[in-house]
Amino acid sequence: MEKKAIIAMSGGVDSAVAALLTQKQGFDCIGITMRLFNNEDVGVVNQKSCCSLEDAALAEQAANRLNMPFYVLNMSKEFNERVIDNFVSEYQRGATPNPCVDCNRHIKFKSLFDKAAALGINYVVTGHYAIIERDLSTDRFLLKKGVDPAKDQSYFLYAMTQHQLKHTLFPLGNFTKEQTRKIAAENGFANAAKPDSQDICFVQNGDYSAFIEQYTNQPIQSGDFLDSQNNVIGKHNGQIKYTIGQRKGLGIAFGTPMYVVSKNPQNNTVTLGEESQLFTNILYAQDFNWIIKPPQNPIKVTAKVRYTQKEQPATAQIISHDKVKVEFSQPLRAIASGQAVVLYENNLVLGGGTII
């Protein structure tokens, strides 16, 4: 089989080095930058955001340095429909979505895969810090953490299918970020010292409520703060502006620390309570994707409910074809619906789903 690969090139150092390493493995490579949105359309001017003209130029420079064909694909329609629209609707219904998971699931490892297949190209390559291995005993492809604990991105990749894992390469999985930058500098890449993208790529300065207001062209409505007995105790500025566990920025003093413990988007209310009300040891997740063979019985795992969280011991149990119950050994604080829960066994990703 001819070794051909599409390299998803963002203009950052990771994808440039991934292209170099893939080419060194003997692949015939094509560089692709996905135009996901126009910065002007979503009000983004931050230089640390992606999808700028500068990013495309840096990606093209890296591809030219490798004598690699380079193209820009306009995928803004797919991105709007599958990532941005879902981001907005999830916040409007009171959840806290994870657009990076959606982008990987629907754009990088779906839409880009489809385009690669149409061109007769066997592999898609990205600059993610994760590892794919084949388990010969089960003939399954496994997803593992990258060796750099500070950069491991396996949390965002739990939705990958066996077919996608088979036809994906992560050349940086066994490298640290420091090593990646060193390789880039040694090979004369202009983006060797380019800062990493931060926060959500299409949201300016992390202000997601302002983005939603602009994107929908609908003002965010104020509503009532409630206590645990449903008594009105104040006014809030719109339920989407608050996250579970939030204490600061409530805009009102209560004389005792108060935290956001729940939200009701139908009534546009935000319930406040004591910090003890934020803790629970059970969650349910849907749209669950198993990378290992789905277990028939409850299994001991470690799990995390946000990217920056340290994994916690838990037991996972399948309760329907795409729904899983996760029970933690100790209660966790501020578990939010819409976020991803990802299960691990040491460095192996077992699977993950969306918290409901």
Side-chain angles (χ1 to χ4, degrees), residues 7-20 32-33 47-52 54-63 66 70 126-127 129 172 177 180-181 184 189-197:
I7 318 294
M9 302 184 73
S10 65
V13 63
D14 296 331
S15 55
V17 173
L20 169 68
I32 296 290
T33 287
Q47 65 176 352
K48 292 186 179 181
S49 69
C50 67
C51 294
S52 68
E54 179 188 1
D55 290 319
L58 286 169
E60 186 173 14
Q61 285 179 33
L66 297 171
F70 174 80
T126 73
Y129 287 83
L172 303 186
K177 184 73 178 197
T180 298
R181 290 199 184 278
F189 289 130
N191 55 12
K194 184 175 184 283
D196 290 342
S197 298

Side-chain angles (χ1 to χ4, degrees), residues 168-327:
T168 298
L169 301 175
F170 295 142
L172 303 186
N174 287 300
F175 290 82
T176 65
K177 184 73 178 197
E178 183 180 0
Q179 291 172 321
T180 298
R181 290 199 184 278
K182 182 179 179 182
I183 292 170
E186 290 172 348
N187 286 273
F189 289 130
N191 55 12
K194 184 175 184 283
D196 290 342
S197 298
Q198 296 181 353
D199 298 320
I200 300 168
C201 64
F202 55 87
V203 175
Q204 174 75 1
N205 297 324
D207 191 348
Y208 60 87
S209 61
F211 168 80
I212 292 171
E213 198 165 29
Q214 174 194 326
Y215 188 75
T216 62
N217 198 29
Q218 296 176 355
I220 295 172
Q221 301 297 322
S222 62
D224 292 329
F225 278 129
L226 306 178
D227 64 17
S228 299
Q229 287 74 44
N230 291 324
N231 299 309
V232 176
I233 56 175
K235 289 289 184 180
H236 65 67
N237 296 320
Q239 66 86 16
I240 68 170
K241 295 189 176 186
Y242 303 89
T243 57
I244 302 301
Q246 179 178 338
R247 175 187 174 189
K248 296 182 179 180
L250 299 180
I252 186 170
F254 296 98
T256 184
M258 297 287 276
Y259 300 82
V260 175
V261 297
S262 67
K263 303 192 295 179
N264 186 323
Q266 287 75 31
N267 298 329
N268 194 21
T269 58
V270 176
T271 298
L272 306 179
E274 298 178 356
E275 187 171 22
S276 61
Q277 295 175 254
L278 293 170
F279 287 85
T280 182
N281 66 332
I282 293 177
L283 66 79
Y284 293 88
Q286 67 181 8
D287 296 329
F288 205 92
N289 180 63
W290 289 98
I291 291 177
I292 64 167
K293 185 178 179 180
Q296 300 301 308
N297 299 307
I299 57 171
K300 297 292 185 182
V301 301
T302 58
K304 56 199 296 187
V305 298
R306 56 184 65 89
Y307 174 56
T308 56
Q309 180 196 41
K310 184 178 179 181
E311 294 160 40
Q312 301 296 320
T315 300
Q317 178 181 3
I318 295 176
I319 57 177
S320 70
H321 75 284
D322 73 338
K323 189 177 291 186
V324 168
K325 174 184 176 182
V326 180
E327 184 169 358

Side-chain angles (χ1 to χ4, degrees), residues 21-39:
L21 297 176
T22 305
Q23 196 176 66
K24 285 186 173 182
Q25 291 178 33
F27 282 83
D28 183 10
C29 299
I30 297 175
I32 296 290
T33 287
M34 295 178 287
R35 186 70 174 171
L36 302 179
F37 58 85
N38 294 318
N39 281 346

